[in-house]
Structure formats: C-alpha cells, structure tokens
Amino acid sequence: MASRTNDFPPAAAETLATDLRQRIQGEVRFDHGSRALYATDGSNYRQVPIGVVVPQNREDIIETMAVCREHQAPVLARGGGTSLAGQCCNTAVIMDMSKYLRQVLELDPEHRRARVEPGCVLDDLRDEAEQHHLTFGPDPSTHDHNSLGGMIGNNSCGVHSIMAGRTADNVNALEILTYDGLRLWVGPTSEEKLEQIIRTGGRQGEIYSGLKAIRDKYADLIRQRYPKIPRRVSGYNLDELLPENGFNVARALVGTEGTCVTVLQADLCLIPSPPSRTVVVLGYPDVYTAGDHIPQILDYAPIGLEGMDNLLLKYMKKEHMYPKGRALLPEGGGWLLVEFGGETKAEADEKAKRLMQALKQSDNPPNMKLFDDPEEEERIWKIRKAGLGATAHLRGEEDTWPGWEDAAVSPEKVGPYLRDFRQLLKRYHYDCSLYGHFGDGCIHVRIDFDLITKEGIKNFKAFTHDAAELVLSYGGSLSGEHGDGQARADLLPKMYGEELIQAFREFKILWDPLNRMNPGKVVDPYPRDSNLRLGADFRPPTLKTVFAFSEDDGSFSKASLRCVGVGECRRNHQGVMCPSYMATKEEMHSTRGRARLLYEMIYGMTHEDAPLTAGWKSKAVYDSLDLCLSCKGCLSDCPVDVDMATYKAEFNYHHFQGRLRPRVAYSMGGIYEASRLAALAPWAVNFFSQTPVFSHVVKFAAGIAQERRLPRFAPQTFKRWYQQRPHRPRNSGGHKVLLWPDTFNNHLHPEILVAAVEVLEAGGFQVIVPTPALCCGRPLYAWGMLDKAKKRLTHLLDALTPEVSQGVPIVGLEPSCVAAFRDELIKLFPKDDRARRISQQTFMLGEFLAQQKNYEPPLLHRKAVVHAHCHHHAVIGLEGEKQILERMGLQYHWLDSGCCGMAGPFGFEADHYELSLKIGERVLLPAVRAAEKDTLIITDGFACQEQITQTTDRSALNLSQILLMALREGQRGTRGAYPERKW
C-alpha cells in the first residue's frame, strides 16, 4: 500500500487550490483559518488539513476528487464532524458536505424508502418520514444536527437500535465514488449478478472480482472471529459479503469511515414509528445489578433500554443539572430507562405494566416508576442524554476525555463486564460514570486520562490495551457506536487477528489502491497516542485576562478546550444556539467552530508550525467572532456551557489593544453617554435622526445600516418622570423593590418602566429608583471595551450596595441588563461579595412576581404570542414568566424562535443587517405576521421589540405592560374606566 504522509508542500497546496477554484462551483478554502477550523473533530486528535472544499452539488464532489487525484492529494469527506475516534480529521482535502448537500431527495412511504444527500441532517429526514408514521431507526444523541453521510461512514446506532439495528442494517443502496473516479450504485448482489459484473470487466468488474475473492478466502474466518453481538461496529463489515447476507456491497461499505469511497447519495430503509411511547424507570442497588437484569427486560420487547449509574447523578447534582428530572427517579444506585411503543398510549402502557407486574413477582424487585406525563418523560430522557455534558468538565475534578468511550458486549454480559471494567479503572486510578445503551450492551464512558504528560499518555496507552483485552475476553467489540478511526484502530489486530487485518487491507486496496482516502484510519493506522490534540508538548501560555474564567481555573487557555465537539450548536430545529450557524450553515459561525479557532490561536502562540500564529491579533478568529451575536444561547444550550459571548468580549479587548475599533463600536457602545446627551434636547436629536436627509448621514457616520430606523428618544426619561412624581415613594410600609432604569427603557421606552411601577405598587411593593446615573455597560462587552465596562460596574456596585445589603431586591425589565447583573458582574468581580449579592438579588419582573407567595396577578383573557429574549432564556430562565402568564389566564403560544436577530446593536450594524433579517425570518417574524390582529405580541427585550417593529406591522409589549393592561381591564370591570396614561 502506498505510504501516507503528514506533509503536503505549501506550493503544491496552492496549485491544487487554484485548480479547484477553476473547476468547481463550490467554495475552496485553503486559508489558514479554514485549515485551523477543520483540524479536529470531537476526538483527542488533531491534524491540520491541506484545505477545505464545500461542494454545492454531486458534480463538485466528482470534480474535486478528479483534481485531487491529479495532484495525488488525500481526501476526506466530512458531515457533522462529531466523530469521537479521530476519523474526521486528517492531512487531506476535507469535503464538507453539510452546507449544501443536505436534501431529502425522495421519500417513498409505500415502499418505506428514502433517498438522501450525504449532508442531510437525520432529523430533517425523520420529520418528513413522521408525516407517514415512519422513521429512520438509528438515532444517535446528535440526531438534530448530525449528517446521514456521517452516520453511514461511522455505522451509527443510538437509543432505538434495539428495534432498528445499526445504520448498516438500514441501508438499501449507496451511490459511491472512488478515488480513481468510478461512480456506481452498490447494494445487495445475487450470485448471478455478481458473475455478470465480473464478466463485464472494467474497474467495477475488477473490484467485484476482488470482493468475491476476499469473501471466498476469508469466509470461515469471518464467521469465526466476528462477534455475534448487536453492536459490533469495529472493523470493516466483511460479513456483509457472505452468501447468507446477500453479498451486500453497500452494507460492507457502511462504517468504513471514508477510507474506501465517498458517498454521493444513499437509499435508506424506513421503519414504522410507534406513535405512542411510555417510559418505565427501574431503580436497582447499583449499576452492575441493573446490568444483570438486561436479558430479563429484553424479553418484553422494549424499543429503548438505557442505563446509568449513581456517579452520573452525583455529577449532575454537583453541576446543578436537571434537579426536577433527578427528583423523579425512583430510589436506587443504578437505573434502567425502559421505553415501550404502541399504536395507542393504552397499548404502550399495557406493555410497560406487563413488565412491571413480572418484575414485582421476581426476587428482589427493583423500585419502579411509570411515566405517563410527556413533560416528565422528557425530563427523564434529558438526564440520560446529558451524560457527556455532566461528565466532561466537573468543578474541582480532572477533565474527562474520549478514547475508550463505547466498547460493547453481549447484553447478557453487561453486569459482569461492568464489574470487571470498574476494577480495571481502579487499577489505573481512573474514574468515570457508566451509562449508555445497555439493551445493546454498549457502554459509554469519559475517562479522566492525562493526555499532557509522557507518563500520563503512557498510562492511557496501557489502559486502552488492557481495556481491549477485557472487552474481547467477553466476546465484545472495541467500538459499539463511535467507530475505530485512530482511537482504536491499532488495537484491531487483537480483536480480529492478523489474517483478518490483512483482509481489511485487501478490501481497502480494492477501492483505494493509492491509499488516498482518509489514510491512517482503520487500516495501517496512526498509533493511538500520536497526533494528540494535547500531547506531551502541549504548553499553553498563561494569558492575563479581564474576565476571571473561574469555571476553568482562571485560564482562558483551558476555557478554549471546553468545547467537546459534539456539535449541538449546529442544530437547526430548536433552541437559541447558534443563530449565526442556523442562518449560514457555516462551521466558522458555530459555537464549536469559534471555540476551535480560539484553541488554535492559543496553540499557535507556542507552536510556530501552527496555521494561526498571530495570537490575539488573528484575523481568522476575529472574522469568526464577528458574526457571534453574543446571544449567550451557548451558555444554556451547549452541553458543556461554552460561553462564547464572554470569549468574544475577552478576545476583542486584546484584539483592539492599540487599534481603533469600527465606528459602530463607538456609536452603539456609547449609547449610554449618547442617551444622556439626547435627554437634554430629545426633540432636536429626533429631528436629525428621523428626517431622511439627516438620518442617512447620522447612520453612515455611526456605521448603522441605512435600512434601519433609528429609535426615537422619549420627550421625558423615566427617571425624570419618577423624580417629578408627587407622593413618592408609595406603599411606604410595603417591602422595598429597587426598579432598575436601564438605558434603553429609561430613554427610549419609559412607558415600560412606568407600567412596572404601577404593577409593583398595585402588588403592595414600595418602588424605589436609584438616584445616580448608572449603567451595566451591556453594549460595551461585545466590542471588548472591558475597562470602561468595569468602571461602570464599579460605580454601580458602590451605588447599589446600601439597598442590596439590606436585602432589597432589584427588578429589571431589560433581560440583557439583568443578565449583566447575573453573569458578567460576577465574572468581572469574582471575589467581590457585593457583586455576588447583587447577582443573587436581581430578577426579571415575572421571575420576581412568581416568587411572591401573596402575589396574585390580574386576569387577562386574551391570546398572545410570546418570544423570549436570548439572555432571558440563557442566563435568567423562563419559568417565572411562564408561571405569571399561566396564572393570568392568558392563552399564549411560546415560540421556539431562538434569537430575534437584532441582538442589541448587532442588527443595527451595516455589515450585519442582512444576517440579522435572515435570523429573524427563520421563525419569529413569520410567526408575528401570521398572528391575528387581536393577538398580543409579548417580548421583554428592547432589541427584540425593535426587530418586530421595524420588520412587521406589529409592535410588541413588555410583561409590565401586559400586567398593567390586565389591571386596567379589571378595574374597568369593577370601578369604571381607569385613566389611560398618555406618554
């Protein structure tokens, strides 16, 4: 086999890039930033690619392969890039299929088949199939953002593989492309058809002749050595070439991890999707006892059977994760989640009850709980799915890593295997939680490997050797879901023996004689302790930062490693994270992509051969962060709490040291000062900002998009109104509440704050407003003006401490300002008790009112559409607001609309206007336009309100205004007309 190399000369790469640009329609990216962006996947490994191609169509893939063949450049097809074994990084030309090639090409419900492009997201297919009560069976936890091409490459499985099998079991046929340009459909092949293909000759005849020879030569050994277990994912699927399996070439190629061919499109099987589901949770004394009972439970034909241990729950408790879900679990030290399906809920329940009845009659029955409430079922599943997030980064503990995360045994051997595996972990002084797909015998772990010292790496290598010996002693597989890649491939001889390894080699050579398809993975692999992303030479610099990064031991370098590559930020179906990715489908504009570039930036500070060596001045990092909306969605939606808004603020602080920022940074970042000046003569400012001729000049000078309308300043600020208000404060005997007069509402929408005063006073509270001019500095963070922001916050700490020290709560109406109190304040002042106290005593209005036992909101019998500000969702939480709306009797629809796209100043900026609209048009703006005219539109954020007002014919109201509306309607009904207050 031709040798592989980690090097491809820069001059050759430049010529290759030039030829590619001339011959394909897609995007060709050989710049340093793109190469850094794709240097790793979700694994421990790092290899900088030659370059990246983003094909627009199948012809682009074919032409890319042809150009690479002319230049003898290795090739790697990539989908979601979530692989945990290193199979999605290589010194190769990476073809990212996920941006354009993501269509469901055909759905045939009658024959239960679907044809898809390789970049098609699994849930896109499942959503279409569910319209016909069908689904694609394998469903890994990344189902809402992974690609089907990646699942085919990896032979993915998931929760429901006990009813559906692996991806290989659900593939009808594949259209493939070889490195030497052969394009053909492959699938099951009868003996007659096989002989016909061989007689026809040519490249296809040569391949099929070779495949037949491999089958005939190794058939007995394949039958003997291949584990007879549900989750054998390691190695090539040579068993699919056996006569009893129909010489299925497509299924033989599933799981080859891009080392043999590239998939152009796939014909897939669909299976019936049980419309009703029921979950039973079983609590056992420990996870080992739970494992012992797997065979008994499988007799009752569940469609999902997952397990988890008490350590997982302990870690979740430590990280304050899912307390409501944890409280639902029955007593125990190890749990099994058993899911049943049926045509009706009654049918699913009956299956569950049959199992429970049988278990009750057994010796030492487990504690049992049946869940019929969909919300409770969702909470239970979130606990199981949170395994990675709960175990990756633990406060006060060593970080954990993949590397031995998905070994599999026969389901009846789970209990004994887990006991022996725990003893092996203890021998190496490792610790980890045990969880996974117990019904298929697949165990997931993340282990606290030391991958940064020579001794630690030596132990890692020794442990994985012994772990392989252990799982093979149980007749298991090194991998039961995530594949071999580089993490386990050099252990495959232990599993299969040298003869079958030679069969793998012959199989690969048939398809890829030059070894240019993802070389060094699976066959003739790189050693598992080479190409480590960390490694013994990893010496990140100690960087002085403004933010404390307390969650990462005060280290920005460690924070850059927080991302585990699972790619939740690449989803397009729900949640807030990541709005720029949802709009662009670009890896560099995902949270993961930005985290990867920040890591590469830091890596380049100590490695001259790295693609990024400019440090804080890196243009590639700046360009990636430029489209980050600082929405903080990743702070809540990311399973490991990557905080890109903070990373962006820190980066921009250093990036612009000694440099001028764009003019929009000063105009929008200085909104506090500008508003105070405008308050002196608001009519004059409005004249210039609202008159077309002058407003064009103002917007150009400020870097604001001409398409945007500048907000009007109120004729009187809220604070001026409050100071001139007679008989203040009212309710002098009531509990004090400090109402925060944020810059936006104080100067632009004071009626929102006035409404809050009336609502709070109607609730019996004494409302006070701070006298000094204060600002949380929110608009300064994104542009890295952190020195100025800290000065503002220092002033704020001094001014608010007297009231806060007396226990007075702070109530805010602008989520971004409340979030600054709850989040940035303590990240900038981590050792200041005043900051901690203010953070703990600051609330959104709805959150505050929901906590008051004696407060009963007024009724309002109206319909409403509700959109949550990103910071409200990510930092504060929405439960309080939902409780208040519920108690008001409002018929509301809470939109899963993510970010509105305005995101503070982001949507006003000229360079971001089009993206801002694209994000808003994803869900929010169409939903607002579709709402009936008498339906209320509710959102608390100034930016969200502006986006709605400027792009639809509707206006949105703050919760304070909704509550005031309810108060007035109630008072009209009892005491006549309540006077409308005109502003």
Side-chain angles (χ1 to χ4, degrees), residues 457-496:
I457 294 168
K458 180 181 177 182
N459 286 338
F460 157 73
K461 190 172 184 180
F463 170 81
T464 49
H465 171 277
D466 290 352
E469 295 276 8
L470 174 63
V471 76
L472 296 178
S473 74
Y474 276 89
S477 174
L478 307 179
S479 172
E481 184 156 39
H482 299 149
D484 302 311
Q486 186 173 344
R488 287 169 284 275
D490 65 354
L491 293 167
L492 286 174
K494 288 182 172 297
M495 181 172 173
Y496 290 106

Side-chain angles (χ1 to χ4, degrees), residues 468-719:
E469 295 276 8
L470 174 63
V471 76
L472 296 178
S473 74
Y474 276 89
S477 174
L478 307 179
S479 172
E481 184 156 39
H482 299 149
D484 302 311
Q486 186 173 344
R488 287 169 284 275
D490 65 354
L491 293 167
L492 286 174
K494 288 182 172 297
M495 181 172 173
Y496 290 106
E498 291 297 339
E499 284 188 76
L500 280 181
I501 294 300
Q502 178 58 29
F504 292 168
R505 190 174 289 115
E506 292 172 15
F507 184 82
K508 176 172 168 61
I509 289 173
L510 274 176
W511 299 102
D512 178 31
L514 295 176
N515 191 26
R516 293 292 185 268
M517 299 293 293
N518 203 12
K521 315 291 172 161
V522 186
V523 171
D524 295 321
Y526 297 104
R528 62 189 182 280
D529 58 347
S530 66
N531 298 325
L532 289 172
R533 186 152 54 107
L534 302 182
D537 65 341
F538 180 66
R539 294 292 180 270
T542 301
L543 302 173
K544 186 177 180 181
T545 58
V546 183
F547 284 102
F549 297 103
S550 302
E551 298 296 313
D552 294 290
D553 301 330
S555 169
F556 187 75
S557 298
K558 187 174 181 181
S560 75
L561 281 166
R562 177 165 282 273
C563 174
V564 295
V566 73
E568 287 283 323
C569 48
R570 288 171 53 94
R571 63 190 179 186
N572 198 43
H573 284 70
Q574 69 279 326
V576 175
M577 176 186 72
C578 173
S580 51
Y581 176 80
M582 289 181 183
T584 66
K585 304 298 185 293
E586 285 281 3
E587 175 72 12
M588 71 178 288
H589 298 309
S590 69
T591 305
R592 181 181 72 178
R594 295 179 179 117
R596 293 297 193 234
L597 286 174
L598 286 166
Y599 164 78
E600 290 289 332
M601 175 193 82
I602 292 170
Y603 184 89
M605 291 178 178
T606 55
H607 293 75
E608 293 182 359
D609 60 341
L612 302 183
T613 56
W616 294 112
K617 306 301 181 184
S618 170
K619 185 178 185 302
V621 178
Y622 174 78
D623 288 345
S624 175
L625 289 170
D626 181 50
L627 294 193
C628 170
L629 287 82
S630 297
C631 70
K632 292 183 175 287
C634 47
L635 191 59
S636 60
D637 291 11
C638 171
V640 290
D641 303 330
V642 168
D643 183 6
M644 195 53 61
T646 298
Y647 302 171
K648 176 179 179 176
E650 187 70 48
F651 173 84
N652 278 341
Y653 171 80
H654 298 279
H655 185 76
F656 286 109
Q657 290 288 305
R659 296 178 173 187
L660 282 174
R661 291 172 170 82
R663 60 187 187 275
V664 71
Y666 301 102
S667 63
M668 300 303 288
I671 188 67
Y672 170 65
E673 292 89 351
S675 297
R676 294 185 68 193
L677 287 172
L680 299 175
W683 59 270
V685 174
N686 288 338
F687 173 78
F688 285 104
S689 67
Q690 306 301 316
T691 305
V693 174
F694 297 114
S695 68
H696 289 318
V697 176
V698 171
K699 285 186 278 191
F700 175 79
I704 293 172
Q706 293 294 333
E707 297 87 345
R708 289 295 184 190
R709 294 196 305 272
L710 294 171
R712 296 179 65 92
F713 284 93
Q716 184 185 41
T717 67
F718 162 76
K719 289 188 70 174

Side-chain angles (χ1 to χ4, degrees), residues 809-956:
I810 301 170
V811 171
L813 302 181
E814 171 54 47
S816 62
C817 296
V818 173
F821 283 49
R822 297 269 277 261
D823 189 47
E824 279 89 357
L825 184 62
I826 54 176
K827 287 175 178 174
L828 289 168
F829 299 91
K831 297 179 181 179
D832 193 320
D833 288 338
R834 300 174 304 165
R836 183 72 56 183
R837 186 173 294 173
I838 288 175
S839 173
Q840 292 171 348
Q841 290 177 217
T842 302
F843 308 92
M844 288 294 295
L845 176 63
E847 180 186 28
F848 173 75
L849 293 175
Q851 293 177 9
Q852 309 308 308
K853 292 181 180 179
N854 297 325
Y855 177 75
E856 194 59 44
L859 297 177
L860 185 63
H861 299 295
R862 295 280 296 274
K863 293 181 180 179
V865 169
V866 188
H867 165 76
H869 187 286
C870 298
H871 294 177
H872 201 164
H873 163 89
V875 178
I876 303 156
L878 306 171
E879 283 304 312
E881 189 119 342
K882 289 181 178 179
Q883 285 182 35
I884 292 297
L885 295 177
E886 197 79 33
R887 287 159 59 186
M888 291 178 71
L890 206 64
Q891 292 183 352
Y892 68 92
H893 172 55
W894 199 285
L895 295 174
D896 186 5
S897 44
C899 183
C900 70
M902 188 66 91
F906 184 91
F908 280 99
E909 297 171 25
D911 292 343
H912 298 154
Y913 173 74
E914 289 186 8
L915 180 64
S916 169
L917 285 191
K918 192 170 184 180
I919 293 169
E921 293 291 353
R922 193 181 68 84
V923 175
L924 173 62
L925 301 179
V928 170
R929 295 188 192 106
E932 297 175 357
K933 293 303 178 184
D934 60 346
T935 296
L936 301 171
I937 310 297
I938 305 175
T939 186
D940 285 348
F942 166 78
C944 308
Q945 292 169 350
E946 280 297 307
Q947 182 78 302
I948 291 169
T949 300
Q950 295 204 20
T951 55
T952 73
D953 61 353
R954 303 295 301 275
S955 294

Side-chain angles (χ1 to χ4, degrees), residues 52-184:
V52 178
V53 170
V54 185
Q56 286 193 4
N57 47 50
R58 286 193 291 278
E59 287 66 34
D60 273 355
I61 300 174
I62 295 165
E63 197 62 27
T64 296
M65 197 80 86
V67 175
C68 288
R69 182 167 64 249
E70 293 165 15
H71 291 263
Q72 290 294 291
V75 173
L76 166 59
R78 172 166 155 152
T82 61
S83 298
L84 288 164
Q87 54 266 68
C88 272
C89 57
N90 213 327
T91 306
V93 173
I94 290 181
M95 292 186 291
D96 184 347
M97 309 291 199
S98 66
K99 183 177 181 181
Y100 297 114
L101 295 163
R102 45 191 302 127
Q103 302 303 310
V104 177
L105 299 171
E106 183 183 0
L107 192 76
D108 180 356
E110 182 180 353
H111 297 96
R112 296 181 180 172
R113 299 171 79 112
R115 187 165 54 88
V116 300
E117 293 181 312
C120 178
V121 172
L122 171 58
D123 271 4
D124 289 345
L125 170 60
R126 297 207 307 173
D127 288 348
E128 287 198 32
E130 283 289 353
Q131 297 175 28
H132 308 281
H133 307 295
L134 299 171
T135 191
F136 185 71
D139 61 340
S141 60
T142 53
H143 54 82
D144 59 2
H145 59 279
N146 69 2
S147 72
L148 284 154
M151 291 180 65
I152 291 165
N154 226 41
N155 200 5
S156 299
C157 304
V159 170
H160 294 106
S161 62
I162 62 171
M163 72 168 179
R166 307 163 300 163
T167 295
D169 305 313
N170 293 271
V171 169
N172 292 315
L174 299 174
E175 186 185 22
I176 60 166
L177 178 69
T178 65
Y179 188 80
D180 54 14
L182 177 66
R183 177 182 181 182
L184 72 157

Side-chain angles (χ1 to χ4, degrees), residues 284 287-300 302 305-307 336 410-415 437-441:
Y284 291 90
V287 73
Y288 317 109
T289 307
D292 292 336
H293 288 80
I294 297 297
Q296 178 186 11
I297 295 162
L298 286 175
D299 287 342
Y300 290 83
L305 177 48
E306 302 290 289
L336 295 177
S410 182
E412 66 267 16
K413 297 179 180 179
V414 167
H437 312 297
F438 283 20
D440 272 331

